[in-house]
Every structure is written in structure tokens, then in C-alpha cells.
Amino acid sequence: MVTERVQVAKDEAEVRAIRRVQSGESDMEILIGYILQVGVLLSVAFILLGIAWRWLATGAFTLEYSITGMNFFEFVLEDLRQVALGAFRPRLWVNLGIATLMLTPYVRVLASMIFFAVVERNWKYTLFTAFVFTVLTYSLFLR
Amino acid sequence: MSFFTVLLVSIVAGFVGAMGGMGGGVVLIPALTLIGVDIKQAIAISIVSAIATSSGSASAYVKDRITNLKVGMFLEMFTIVGALVGAAITLIAPRQPLFIVFGLVLLLTWYALFRQRNEQWRPVAHQDKLSHWLELEGSYYDQAADETLDYRGARAYFGGPMMFGAGVIAGLLGIGAGALKVLIHDLVMGLPPKVSTTTSNLIIGVTTLAGTSVYLAAGYVNPGLTAPVIVGVVGGAFLGTRLLVHLTNARVRVFFLVVLLILGVEMILRGIGGAG
């Protein structure tokens, strides 16, 4: 009798644990889904805004400039500096679009790493995502 | 080349790519080089746009809980390193071999899709220790069959290193190399087709980001060209996915296979003929 009751309690605890893990995982799925969706939509919106502005201002669609001599983080900082100065122009919007697009998977990896570490407490996958995050950070510092 | 030519080419590439269940790269790069874009620049622009198409479709699949996040995040470790190596090779490679390799990969993709047509998925009977330790298993709800499907992945020790190779190709040629990733998921790791495709989409996002960072640093990401390409490919893929629902699967596949075959042979011929 007693052992049976213990068994039932154990089973229930296990079911609760499984449910917690399952709901935790689906939370991560929703989080990742939104990061990707918002990132891509924002990026396309910024680029469209840049192209439209260019067209309204000059009658031409094409922007001619290049991104050279800087790594990704310098590129983002330079754009943010211009945003802070309020120096909005077509080129800045296109740059913000490209930067947002590149940040999207990067943020996704960062969010997964934090989720694995804090919510799921899964050290294996915290380590794996940390590796991916480190390699990506290194590669974004390339110039 | 005018803004609208680039935009139109990108819309068509995104459209055809989506109908074949992939990104636009395999169509975009041959098309861009045909209208006069340098192949290295075409590769750089294509790999940026692949971040958009893969992340866009991945967002839906992840929310539907078909994507296996753990499989994806384990394999990403291999593909990103591969993509960095591949992109670095392209920067120093002569142009003609790039055409030939691109053509060969298109033919390989053609083969991968062709054999995928008549294959039935078989569950993994025995999961090895490493794959078990890596927690490579899951379940998803299959709408078509109206049932929840449980599955286990296997042979991670093989799948990982092979993914490094797929990453090299992605970085080298500026494509997501989704067909190759799906092939590895299916054949080596024994994942169900839907899980394979959707998980490969997730992986492509970070793989192409790694490649993009190399091309950005080298100054190959030309914003004037990249802007219409991103908008065009994303728009074309959106339309393609909507239309796909109304078309029969077999017809779409035959169409896509023919396109791939023509582009593959054409790229090889241009490589040999020295049209770099």
C-alpha cells in the first residue's frame, strides 16, 4: 500500500517534471520564432524605407556606396551613432536593414544560450550554444 | 544593370527557390552572373539574402514545433566553422573553378531532390550512445497524417563532421546548401523528412551569418545591390510559398528539377569556357 502510494507520488512528480520541461521547450520555440520573424520583417521594412526615400528624394532607386574597412560591430556602432545624431537618410536605413538582418540569427543564438542556461539548466546545450555564439562573435569581429 | 533588373531576377529566384522548398541562392547566383554581376559579389549578396529567407521560414516552423532545436544547435557548431573556411577559400580562389564547383553542387542538389521523391522514412531502430547523450530525439504533430510522430536521431558522430562539409559549401558558394543538409539529416541521422527540412532551415540562418561576416569584412557586400536582392528574394519566396499550396507537388518538383539541371550544366559550361 505504502510503496504503491510512494510510486504514484513519484510518477506524478515525474509527469510534472516532464510537463515543465515540455512547456519550457515550447517557450523557447515561441521566443525563437518571434526573434526570427521580427528580425526579418524589421530588416525588410528598413530597406524598403531606404529605397522609397531615395526614390522620393532623387527619382532614382539605386544607392551607390560600399561598406569597407570595418567589421560588423563597427558598422553597427557607426549606424547607431548616426541614429543618435538624428542623421537619417536613405543610406542609413539600408544599413540598419542589413545590420538588423545579420543580428537576427546572432540574437537567436544568444537567446537560446541564456534559455538553456537559466530556464532549462541544460549545461550540455548551454555549452554548445556558447561555442556557436563565440565563433559567431569572433567572425563578426573580422575585418 | 538597373535596379529593376536586379529586383526582378531576385523575385524570380526567391519564387522558384520557395517552390523547390529551398532558398533562392541556387537560382539567384547564376542569374546575377548572367546579368553581369561578378561571381564573388553575387555569392556575397546571395549569402546575405539567405539569412532572410531561411530565418523567415524557420520562424513559422519553429513556432509549429516541427523543428528540432537540439539537433539544430548541435549541428550548427559544425556548419558555422565550415562556412568560415568556405568563405575564406572563395576570397582567394580564382573565378572559373567557382563556376564549375557551383554547377557540380547544383547537380548534386538535383540528385538529392530526385532520390528524395520515392523514399519512405524509416524510424531509427537503434540509437547510438553519443546521439542518446546529445538528446537527439523528439516528436511532432503531423497534420497530414493527424498523429504525433516520435523519432530518434542517430549517428551524430557522422552527421556532425558531414555538416562541416555542408557548411564549407554554404560559405564557399553563398547558398544555404539546404538540400545537402536535408540529405545528411535523412540518410545519416534518420530524421523524418519534415523535421529534416525545418531543422535545416534553422541551421542555415547562422551558417549564412558566419559566411556573411567574412564577405562583409572583405568589402564584398555591396549595399546598392544587396538592398533590392533582399527585398526581391523575400517577396518572391513569400509569393512562391502561397502559390505552392495551390499546385500539385509532383508538377512543382518536376519543374524545379528541370531548372536545377539546366542551371547546373550551364554553370559548368561557363566555368570551362572561361566566362568567369
Side-chain angles (χ1 to χ4, degrees), chain B residues 6 17 19 23 84 115 118 125 139 171 186 203 215 222 246 249 252:
Chain B
V6 176
M19 285 175 58
L84 292 177
R115 72 171 292 292
N118 351 311
S139 63
D186 278 356
I203 299 174
Y215 290 109
N222 174 338
H246 303 290
N249 241 335
V252 172

Side-chain angles (χ1 to χ4, degrees), chain B residues 40 55 81 94-95 106 162 255 265 270 273 275:
Chain B
K40 290 190 185 182
S55 302
V81 179
R95 287 173 168 77
L106 285 189
M162 285 184 84
F255 168 74
V265 172
R270 280 166 71 196

Side-chain angles (χ1 to χ4, degrees), chain A residues 25-26 29-30 33 37 40 61-63 65 67 101-102 105 108-109 112 116 122 124-125 128 135 139 142, chain B residues 3-4 48 51 59 62-63 65 70 73 76-77 80 84 133-136 202 206 209 213 217 219 223-224:
Chain A
E25 267 184 354
S26 46
E29 279 158 341
I30 289 167
Q37 192 178 31
V40 172
F61 285 96
T62 320
L63 292 102
Y65 66 102
I67 306 168
L101 188 62
M102 290 180 71
R108 188 272 279 174
V109 173
S112 327
F116 276 127
N122 183 330
K124 250 180 269 176
Y125 275 85
F128 293 166
V135 172
S139 74
L142 290 174
Chain B
F3 176 87
F4 285 103
V48 183
I51 302 178
S59 74
V62 170
K63 277 195 242 165
R65 297 186 187 140
K70 281 179 181 159
M73 288 173 195
E76 270 166 19
M77 294 195 287
I80 53 167
L84 292 177
W133 183 77
L134 290 168
E135 304 160 25
L136 303 185
L202 183 79
V206 283
L209 172 62
S213 65

Side-chain angles (χ1 to χ4, degrees), chain B residues 2-256:
Chain B
S2 80
F3 176 87
F4 285 103
T5 318
V6 176
L7 185 68
L8 192 70
V9 160
S10 311
I11 292 175
V12 171
F15 186 81
V16 175
M19 285 175 58
M22 14 200 345
V26 288
V27 182
L28 184 67
I29 294 169
L32 283 178
T33 55
L34 274 176
I35 61 169
V37 180
D38 168 56
I39 187 164
K40 290 190 185 182
Q41 204 164 54
I43 287 173
I45 295 166
S46 163
I47 204 163
V48 183
S49 73
I51 302 178
T53 44
S54 68
S55 302
S57 45
S59 74
Y61 296 133
V62 170
K63 277 195 242 165
D64 287 344
R65 297 186 187 140
I66 305 174
T67 308
N68 190 312
L69 296 181
K70 281 179 181 159
V71 171
M73 288 173 195
F74 168 66
L75 294 174
E76 270 166 19
M77 294 195 287
F78 299 90
T79 63
I80 53 167
V81 179
L84 292 177
V85 172
I89 294 174
T90 296
L91 290 187
I92 54 167
R95 287 173 168 77
Q96 261 170 271
L98 287 178
F99 275 92
I100 298 173
V101 174
F102 196 97
L104 290 175
V105 168
L106 285 189
L107 295 185
L108 189 66
T109 307
W110 181 86
Y111 170 74
L113 291 175
F114 188 77
R115 72 171 292 292
Q116 210 179 308
R117 286 200 313 179
N118 351 311
E119 279 290 307
Q120 276 285 331
W121 175 68
R122 268 174 315 206
V124 169
H126 173 75
Q127 191 183 35
D128 54 280
K129 277 193 185 131
L130 178 68
S131 305
H132 179 71
W133 183 77
L134 290 168
E135 304 160 25
L136 303 185
E137 56 244 328
S139 63
Y140 75 97
Y141 174 69
D142 191 320
Q143 263 185 332
D146 189 26
E147 59 176 6
T148 303
L149 201 69
D150 290 302
Y151 61 89
R152 291 182 297 177
R155 289 189 288 275
Y157 49 85
F158 222 54
M162 285 184 84
M163 275 300 192
F164 171 80
V168 171
I169 290 175
L172 187 77
L173 303 177
I175 56 178
L180 301 181
K181 288 177 179 140
V182 169
L183 199 65
I184 296 169
H185 288 162
D186 278 356
L187 290 185
V188 180
M189 304 186 65
L191 301 174
K194 272 188 192 161
V195 179
S196 299
T197 350
T198 55
T199 306
S200 130
N201 249 312
L202 183 79
I203 299 174
I204 290 173
V206 283
T207 312
T208 46
L209 172 62
T212 298
S213 65
V214 174
Y215 290 109
L216 182 88
Y220 274 108
V221 178
N222 174 338
L225 279 173
T226 308
V229 168
I230 291 176
V231 172
V233 170
V234 170
F238 182 80
L239 291 177
T241 322
R242 292 297 168 286
L243 186 73
L244 196 61
V245 187
H246 303 290
L247 289 172
T248 56
N249 241 335
R251 202 173 286 175
V252 172
R253 289 204 89 100
V254 170
F255 168 74
F256 191 71

Side-chain angles (χ1 to χ4, degrees), chain B residues 253-270:
Chain B
R253 289 204 89 100
V254 170
F255 168 74
F256 191 71
L257 285 172
V258 171
V259 171
L260 269 189
L261 194 61
I262 294 173
L263 289 178
V265 172
E266 187 251 0
M267 287 297 269
I268 292 174
L269 289 178
R270 280 166 71 196

